[in-house]
Amino acid sequence: MDDTTETTAIATVQIDTTRVRVTEWRFPPGTQTGMHTHELPYVVVPTSTGTLHVDTPHGTGENILVPGASYTRPVGSTHNVRNASDAECSFVEVEIKPAPA
């Protein structure tokens, strides 16, 4: 895949406190996040149906989005999420920050 042919997905931070960061992610057709590594564990709450392709250092897989069917990923997850379909996909990502000492 040539990363230069796709544009960046739309990230809107809704809440950012000392304990949690909530971001809405919208993926119009042909958009992607770019390769990145998560520094926090997080929960994904799909808000649309659709299939997103997930490129990792180990290959490519699919995340099938079903509204209300949340899933979680651990700290250190490295991937590029991209929408290769003809329809917009979206989800809310909830990152969990460590408790203050």
Side-chain angles (χ1 to χ4, degrees):
M1 178 187 79
D2 179 0
D3 286 346
T4 62
T5 62
E6 296 188 33
T7 58
T8 304
I10 302 161
T12 304
V13 175
Q14 297 176 336
I15 299 169
D16 193 357
T17 71
T18 58
R19 295 289 290 133
V20 67
R21 179 172 38 234
V22 177
T23 306
E24 176 194 42
W25 283 93
R26 290 184 31 237
F27 291 81
T31 60
Q32 63 182 339
T33 59
M35 190 65 75
H36 61 283
T37 301
H38 286 265
E39 297 176 358
L40 299 167
Y42 63 99
V43 175
V44 172
V45 182
T47 55
S48 76
T49 59
T51 300
L52 294 170
H53 295 265
V54 181
D55 304 314
T56 73
H58 308 289
T60 298
E62 292 184 338
N63 277 4
I64 298 171
L65 302 179
V66 177
S70 302
Y71 57 92
T72 187
R73 297 284 184 261
V75 69
S77 295
T78 299
H79 55 243
N80 175 39
V81 180
R82 58 189 171 86
N83 182 2
S85 75
D86 293 331
E88 181 171 287
C89 296
S90 61
F91 59 78
V92 171
E93 176 183 271
V94 181
E95 296 172 286
I96 312 301
K97 298 178 183 182

